[in-house]
Amino acid sequence: MNRFEDLATPGVCGLQPYQPGKPIEELQREYGVSDIVKLASNENPLGPGPRVREALANGLDELARYPDGNGFALKQALSARHGVDVAQITLGNGSSDVLEFVVRVFVQPGDEVLFSEHAFAMYPIVTRAAGAKAVVAPARDWGHDLEAMQALITDRTRVIFVANPNNPTGTWLHGDELRAFVAAVPENVIVVIDEAYFEYASDPALGAAGYPDASRWLGDFPNLVVTRTFSKAHGLAGLRVGYSLSHADLANLLNRIRPPFNVNSLALLAAEAALADEEHVRQAVHLNVEEMARVTDAVTEMGLEFIPSVGNFVSIDVGGDAASVYDALLRQGVIVRPVANYGMPRHLRVTLGLQEDNERFLAALRKVLA
Ligand SMILES: *Cc1c(COP(=O)(O)O)cnc(C)c1O
């Protein structure tokens, strides 16, 4: 028993901490294995590009100073990129930070927050931490069932989270259906469309024809919030920087609770450089397309099923209890992600790495399942 639980808010008492992918150093410590491949956190295997490295080197001289609390230069670049006003942007310490701001601004204890079964694990955490009720719509074919979600909107619903594509399923929604859903949501309910994997999903080669850029709809829906991150295709997960785009009045509220220095100075510089380096993102996306084909072809050959994904990861049905397969893979130095906590006890989510990483994973999986 935790001696402070009586004092904590009820929402916090019911929480389990977010389970991140196992760090490489931890596997080394616990299992004594070396030469480890980590395919567990949807990180970009290429890392950041050369322009980011250069920006970071230049930023070292300014580390004694506080960061620009308004992120002026990064916001200018984002404003130009998205064709939005600077006042529509809210910067986050990762986009998860912004998801939390939305709940803290709009949700009180007893209110409802709606999202889908198998959706991103931060949604229930930020909801319950606010003392709100998580309303979970059943999934259809592992993805969001927008009809089921619409049917669950009540007069207590304050926020709806939609991940497009979703993590850990990789499923995605077509622009027509998603736009119709947003249009049907009452204007006093905030709809967050989480586009953490936008760069991957919007590449035509991955097959998501009709995948939308929801930021284009901001002019039509003042209750819409679109989140993006530098953690995935831009390769900056370790620096923590993401943002939302919304109506300026909504952004104004989010910025009232945003800690002034939530994005550090190196992250601001790196994000600005990463945004400008479109070639590096193209390379990451191109690699992802090739490796998606390699991994899904190979698992199909092994007789396994997977959920078709437009992210930089794929969830594979390992044909039984995935926990033991996860553990056996760890012993071979391959870290993937168990997703039982997402209601998917038969699946493992595998991030697409470099070709040699993915081949290590496939060889280890063949051995484990043999
Ligand atoms: C990774 C991820 C995020 C963002 O993570 P940050 O590093 O906090 O920007 C948001 N949503 C989904 C669905 C993700 O998978």
Side-chain angles (χ1 to χ4, degrees):
M1 181 57 196
N2 180 320
R3 69 164 74 190
F4 293 107
E5 264 202 4
D6 295 349
L7 304 178
T9 59
V12 170
C13 290
L15 277 181
Q16 295 296 324
Y18 179 84
Q19 290 174 11
K22 198 176 198 56
I24 289 176
E25 294 72 19
E26 190 178 302
L27 181 59
Q28 262 159 357
R29 264 197 321 271
E30 290 178 358
Y31 288 60
V33 271
S34 55
D35 190 17
I36 292 167
V37 173
K38 184 184 174 210
L39 301 171
S41 300
N42 300 346
E43 294 144 345
N44 180 341
L46 299 178
R51 293 169 73 153
V52 166
R53 290 169 198 272
E54 194 187 317
L56 288 174
N58 294 335
L60 293 180
D61 291 338
E62 296 298 321
L63 280 186
R65 298 191 190 284
Y66 280 98
D68 174 0
N70 289 316
F72 179 82
L74 177 57
K75 281 189 179 179
Q76 289 290 327
L78 289 170
S79 155
R81 169 64 58 91
H82 294 291
V84 300
D85 203 83
V86 164
Q88 295 179 261
I89 302 169
T90 306
L91 297 180
N93 189 258
S95 57
S96 322
D97 206 23
V98 185
L99 303 177
E100 191 181 341
F101 298 160
V102 172
V103 169
R104 278 172 53 205
V105 167
F106 292 104
V107 180
Q108 297 194 56
D111 287 342
E112 294 177 0
V113 175
L114 174 59
F115 47 85
S116 173
E117 185 185 14
H118 315 307
F120 184 45
M122 285 306 293
Y123 308 155
I125 291 179
V126 295
T127 300
R128 298 202 174 101
K133 183 176 168 201
V135 177
V136 182
R140 182 166 55 196
D141 297 331
W142 302 106
H144 290 56
D145 179 344
L146 294 177
E147 275 171 34
M149 291 184 75
Q150 200 183 325
L152 287 168
I153 298 173
T154 72
D155 56 9
R156 305 235 59 170
T157 310
R158 296 289 173 270
V159 172
I160 302 175
F161 287 114
V162 176
N164 195 34
N166 184 43
N167 167 21
T169 59
T171 50
W172 60 283
L173 293 159
H174 196 278
D176 293 344
E177 52 180 335
L178 184 53
R179 194 188 151 93
F181 172 79
V182 178
V185 172
E187 259 198 41
N188 62 351
V189 177
I190 309 301
V191 184
V192 180
I193 300 183
D194 177 344
E195 295 184 339
Y197 301 92
F198 178 85
E199 294 80 4
Y200 297 108
S202 57
D203 190 85
L206 218 50
Y211 173 78
D213 173 352
S215 73
R216 303 258 169 89
W217 308 336
L218 288 168
D220 300 318
F221 306 116
N223 55 332
L224 176 62
V225 178
V226 178
T227 59
R228 297 278 184 96
T229 183
F230 288 95
S231 298
K232 307 286 160 58
H234 295 96
L236 298 182
L239 277 176
R240 317 299 307 127
V241 50
Y243 59 98
S244 70
L245 307 172
S246 66
H247 191 285
D249 287 348
L250 204 161
N252 176 283
L253 290 168
L254 300 181
N255 276 289
R256 290 186 201 183
I257 59 160
R258 183 184 63 82
F261 306 118
N262 65 330
V263 184
N264 71 68
S265 52
L266 291 180
L268 288 171
L269 289 172
E272 196 188 341
L275 193 68
D277 196 347
E278 295 183 47
E279 178 51 31
H280 189 68
V281 172
R282 257 197 300 278
Q283 273 179 30
V285 171
H286 179 72
L287 173 71
N288 192 59
V289 170
E290 294 198 328
E291 295 308 308
M292 181 68 86
R294 179 187 318 284
V295 170
T296 55
D297 286 353
V299 298
T300 301
E301 214 161 277
M302 286 181 228
L304 302 177
E305 292 192 5
F306 62 90
I307 305 172
S309 165
V310 296
N312 63 341
F313 57 89
V314 58
S315 284
I316 299 165
D317 183 340
V318 293
D321 177 25
S324 56
V325 178
Y326 168 69
D327 202 62
L329 289 171
L330 283 184
R331 288 171 198 284
Q332 300 206 46
V334 177
I335 311 176
V336 297
R337 190 70 155 266
V339 282
N341 58 327
Y342 288 86
M344 300 167 64
R346 293 167 55 97
H347 286 80
L348 290 176
R349 190 195 70 192
V350 184
T351 303
L352 301 170
L354 300 174
Q355 176 177 343
E356 58 264 35
D357 304 335
N358 301 329
E359 281 171 353
R360 268 279 302 277
F361 159 69
L362 291 167
L365 185 63
R366 275 191 204 97
K367 200 164 154 189
V368 166
L369 294 179

